[in-house]
Amino acid sequence: MKRIFLFFSGVLVFLVGCGGPVASGTNSNISISIPDSQSENALDGRLLLMLAKDNAVEPRFQINGGLKTQLIYGMNVNQMKPGQATVFDADALGFPIAHLSEIPPGEYWVQALLHVYETFDLATGHTVKLPMDNGEGQQWNRSPGNLYSTPQKITVTDNGIGSLEILLDQKIPPIVEPEDTEWIKHIKIKSEKLSEFWGRDMYLGAHVLLPKGFKEHPEAKYPLMIFHGHFPDDFGGFRTTPPDPNLEPEYSARFDVEGYNIIQQQEAYDFYKRWNDPDFPRFLIIEIQHPTPYYDDSYAVNSASQGPYGDAITYELIPHIEKEFRGMGEGWSRFLYGGSTGGWEALAVQVKYPEEYNGCFAACPDPIDFRAYCLTDIYGDENAYFYESDFKDLEVPAHRDYLGHIQSTVKDENHLELVLGDKSRSGQQWDIWEATYSPQGEDGYPQRLWDKVSGDIDHSVAEYWKENYDLRYILERDWDKLGEKLKGKIHIYCGDMDNYYLNNAVYLMEDFLESTTDPYYNGEVKYGDRAEHCWNGDPEEPNHISRLRYNSMYVPKIMKRIAETAPEGADLNSWRYR
């Protein structure tokens, strides 16, 4: 791929942030320490320094890939000892300003945070250092046990930050786990498969919504609806009371809707009423907790660097839930659905375990054809950050609104991830795709699909992705084996103005599915006109409403599927009580 010198100069500036000399005239001596009271042991992790123009919320909550992000710098620390000062590296990598010396003069609020890593001795023979999830769903800025400082106001002058002492005097407290209710139960099991891979006890959890009449009908066994998605702290979208009468309305900028918090509570209460309707089918619905040391969930498939999460969920967690809560325990009675990450998971799990589930409803799925890995063709393109051109230096967008206005680029988002953590340890979107899809490197961490600084693609890694996780390619390659097992099971929904350009891969998947014969796939692919992420297939309601109805909107399709496919003699009655 040809490049212009502007691109090289941009990369060189970024590399200076990785380890180049400090600009002359700067005077930054930032000392960070851990009080003895906060830890008895030396700690490993990622040390982060953040600066924000205001303290309306703490700087740690103002970091993102969008236009309103504040400043962040990061470096690894090994055996950071309590009571001893650690000098923050003036050459540490930064985003969106690459180097501390380039911060404009002015007043800032500064805060530091240590994202603590633990050591894992993997079954592969590798030893890696990663952040263990502590019940929060892999969120670096609120993970229990992480240490952080009280924000303090500073003045940056023409000579730099100057001398600054920061004390990591705060520790994020443990998460309070949700309590069981009449309707919602919470379970956690040790996974033998995952514990063997990670070299320590590893757990899977779920929130289970029980059907009306569960106790009164002990003879009933139930179909299972599995709602995939990001880490749920409890079962969402279900409440037994009307909206709080004193709730102050909050504006949703994403949907341009006033009082969206009230709408959410009303929808949750309306679902409770539908759930109790005499004619509503009786199901079990579960939301799964399967965070990994790389992300808030595992993507529900087996992978080289995260281990056998697909097998653990399908063959350990699901059977346990069905045994505990009287599920039918058969493939024809299990259904998958979800949006975004959950949309990819629903389709991937259906493809990887075609006879263990009887249908998937995948809304706005993450890229399901890597020729459209958002806006990158990982097989044909040479670089993920810049379009190919002899003379122009045009960055590839990563996020847009429904009118096409761009908020971030692929390069920006990846550079932020590199600040948050090297070796795919940022806990963010592009890194989890690598942690899931990539082969394991010699150091035990995922191999990079592309160079994180330059964006140059490693096509040998891309081929591994293709053979193992490109869902369109796998379906096309194996349709002679999978077609009969998947006929009527694949349903995909996406807005044609998806914020992350996910509709492009859906178009390619649809082209293949519509070409299938012997058998024809016999499912559906639908698009929402000008709909953003995450449109889920309802053309009658705006997306800010339909996204709150996942747990009921696919029920008619599921009931139709059960009626058409249940084996002879299957129980179609015990769970249909009124």
Side-chain angles (χ1 to χ4, degrees):
M1 185 178 188
K2 295 182 179 179
R3 279 292 192 282
I4 62 174
F5 289 111
L6 267 177
F7 168 65
F8 282 118
S9 64
V11 171
L12 286 173
V13 168
F14 192 79
L15 287 171
V16 167
C18 297
V22 179
S24 61
T26 61
N27 177 23
S28 298
N29 182 17
I30 303 170
S31 173
I32 302 175
S33 59
I34 303 171
D36 293 335
S37 60
Q38 293 293 3
S39 179
E40 296 179 356
N41 305 309
L43 299 174
D44 301 326
R46 187 73 172 177
L47 188 60
L48 301 169
L49 180 70
M50 294 149 286
L51 295 94
K53 297 294 287 185
D54 64 61
N55 196 39
V57 295
E58 293 178 43
R60 62 186 167 125
F61 299 122
Q62 297 191 53
I63 306 301
N64 56 70
L67 295 172
K68 295 183 178 181
T69 187
Q70 299 301 292
L71 304 174
I72 185 168
Y73 299 84
M75 67 183 224
N76 292 334
V77 291
N78 295 302
Q79 295 296 288
M80 186 175 178
K81 297 179 180 179
Q84 293 186 5
T86 297
V87 177
F88 196 87
D89 191 347
D91 301 328
L93 186 65
F95 176 86
I97 296 176
H99 200 281
L100 283 168
S101 64
E102 299 168 346
I103 297 176
E107 293 186 338
Y108 295 85
W109 289 87
V110 65
Q111 185 176 39
L113 180 145
L114 177 62
H115 191 23
V116 177
Y117 291 169
E118 298 184 22
T119 299
F120 297 82
D121 296 314
L122 305 181
T124 60
H126 300 96
T127 297
V128 294
K129 294 181 179 182
L130 293 161
M132 185 68 175
D133 180 74
N134 292 300
E136 85 291 351
Q138 278 298 359
Q139 304 298 317
W140 63 269
N141 53 10
R142 58 183 185 87
S143 180
N146 281 354
L147 305 179
Y148 66 99
S149 68
T150 302
Q152 56 182 295
K153 194 172 185 178
I154 65 168
T155 299
V156 177
T157 70
D158 290 334
N159 292 324
I161 293 176
S163 295
L164 181 63
E165 294 185 0
I166 298 177
L167 194 63
L168 299 176
D169 57 351
Q170 307 289 322
K171 179 182 288 188
I172 300 175
I175 299 290
V176 177
E177 295 189 1
E179 296 181 358
D180 285 353
T181 69
E182 174 188 358
W183 295 97
I184 299 170
K185 307 300 179 183
H186 308 89
I187 67 165
K188 182 178 288 187
I189 66 167
K190 176 184 173 182
S191 166
E192 298 298 332
K193 296 179 185 295
L194 296 174
S195 297
E196 180 181 358
F197 176 85
W198 286 99
R200 64 164 70 185
D201 290 351
M202 298 291 283
Y203 295 86
L204 295 169
H207 311 306
V208 184
L209 179 62
L210 299 180
K212 177 180 173 61
F214 180 82
K215 290 183 179 179
E216 293 78 11
H217 294 270
E219 77 287 353
K221 291 189 175 181
Y222 302 96
L224 179 65
M225 294 168 59
I226 303 159
F227 186 11
H228 276 289
H230 293 286
F231 182 90
D233 55 9
D234 202 344
F235 193 95
F238 184 92
R239 60 181 288 136
T240 59
T241 57
D244 300 335
N246 298 320
L247 191 63
E248 290 291 331
E250 295 178 357
Y251 172 73
S252 169
R254 175 182 177 184
F255 299 113
D256 191 23
V257 173
E258 188 65 54
Y260 193 51
N261 55 333
I262 298 174
I263 293 172
Q264 288 175 305
Q265 289 195 2
Q266 183 63 53
E267 284 291 325
Y269 179 57
D270 289 346
F271 174 51
Y272 162 74
K273 291 188 291 185
R274 287 195 297 275
W275 193 243
N276 281 273
D277 189 278
D279 294 324
F280 197 91
R282 307 307 174 196
F283 289 91
L284 297 169
I285 303 181
I286 63 171
E287 295 186 19
I288 301 174
Q289 287 184 325
H290 48 117
T292 86
Y294 285 100
Y295 197 54
D296 68 7
D297 76 13
S298 68
Y299 272 66
V301 293
N302 299 343
S303 68
S305 293
Q306 297 192 106
Y309 273 91
D311 287 355
I313 292 169
T314 294
Y315 299 125
E316 292 181 323
L317 181 62
I318 298 299
H320 175 86
I321 291 170
E322 289 173 325
K323 181 179 179 181
E324 186 78 10
F325 299 102
R326 304 200 311 269
M328 290 182 175
E330 299 182 55
W332 68 266
S333 65
R334 299 173 182 149
F335 298 88
L336 303 153
Y337 63 107
S340 192
T341 291
W344 190 93
E345 290 172 331
L347 181 57
V349 170
Q350 184 67 79
V351 170
K352 296 282 186 178
Y353 303 90
E355 296 181 298
E356 299 293 344
Y357 303 92
N358 197 20
C360 70
F361 303 87
C364 53
D366 287 3
I368 54 179
D369 185 323
F370 295 151
R371 294 174 298 174
Y373 183 57
C374 299
L375 289 177
T376 299
D377 176 355
I378 70 171
Y379 313 125
D381 292 343
E382 296 297 326
N383 188 277
Y385 295 168
F386 294 87
Y387 289 105
E388 185 170 2
S389 173
D390 287 329
F391 301 108
K392 291 193 69 175
D393 197 22
L394 182 62
E395 286 192 37
V396 178
H399 186 278
R400 63 179 174 182
D401 67 13
Y402 78 100
L403 293 175
H405 300 146
I406 296 168
Q407 284 82 39
S408 64
T409 67
V410 176
K411 178 173 74 73
D412 279 348
E413 291 187 355
N414 279 265
H415 285 181
L416 171 58
E417 290 190 1
L418 193 54
V419 173
L420 290 172
D422 60 357
K423 299 182 183 296
S424 303
R425 292 184 291 192
S426 71
Q428 305 300 302
Q429 185 61 76
W430 301 93
D431 275 353
I432 183 53
W433 283 333
E434 284 186 334
T436 304
Y437 308 147
S438 286
Q440 192 176 47
E442 292 182 359
D443 60 358
Y445 299 98
Q447 289 188 30
R448 292 289 195 195
L449 174 64
W450 58 61
D451 183 282
K452 204 74 166 174
V453 173
S454 70
D456 290 334
I457 296 172
D458 184 334
H459 289 102
S460 64
V461 174
E463 282 302 307
Y464 182 93
W465 283 36
K466 180 179 181 179
E467 293 296 328
N468 293 279
Y469 300 102
D470 186 322
L471 299 181
R472 188 276 316 163
Y473 172 78
I474 291 169
L475 285 172
E476 189 168 354
R477 180 192 67 195
D478 299 336
W479 192 251
D480 60 333
K481 306 180 189 69
L482 293 174
E484 285 296 334
K485 299 175 183 178
L486 294 175
K487 182 173 62 176
K489 295 184 178 182
I490 296 175
H491 311 80
I492 305 173
Y493 314 99
C494 195
D496 64 13
M497 285 298 290
D498 186 276
N499 302 102
Y500 306 99
Y501 306 91
L502 300 175
N503 49 303
N504 293 357
V506 175
Y507 299 144
L508 297 174
M509 175 66 84
E510 183 186 24
D511 289 344
F512 163 69
L513 292 173
E514 290 297 338
S515 75
T516 56
T517 58
D518 198 25
Y520 175 63
Y521 89 104
N522 201 31
E524 65 179 358
V525 180
K526 292 184 176 181
Y527 303 95
D529 180 35
R530 294 205 303 174
E532 296 183 86
H533 192 73
C534 192
W535 188 77
N536 54 4
D538 186 347
E540 304 298 326
E541 295 287 349
N543 199 39
H544 74 274
I545 296 296
S546 65
R547 68 186 292 270
L548 304 175
R549 297 181 179 178
Y550 274 102
N551 289 323
S552 58
M553 68 180 298
Y554 302 130
V555 167
K557 299 176 188 291
I558 290 173
M559 292 301 298
K560 183 175 183 291
R561 180 72 186 164
I562 288 176
E564 293 173 347
T565 62
E568 186 175 352
D571 176 12
L572 301 180
N573 297 310
S574 72
W575 50 279
R576 290 304 309 271
Y577 54 82
R578 295 177 63 85

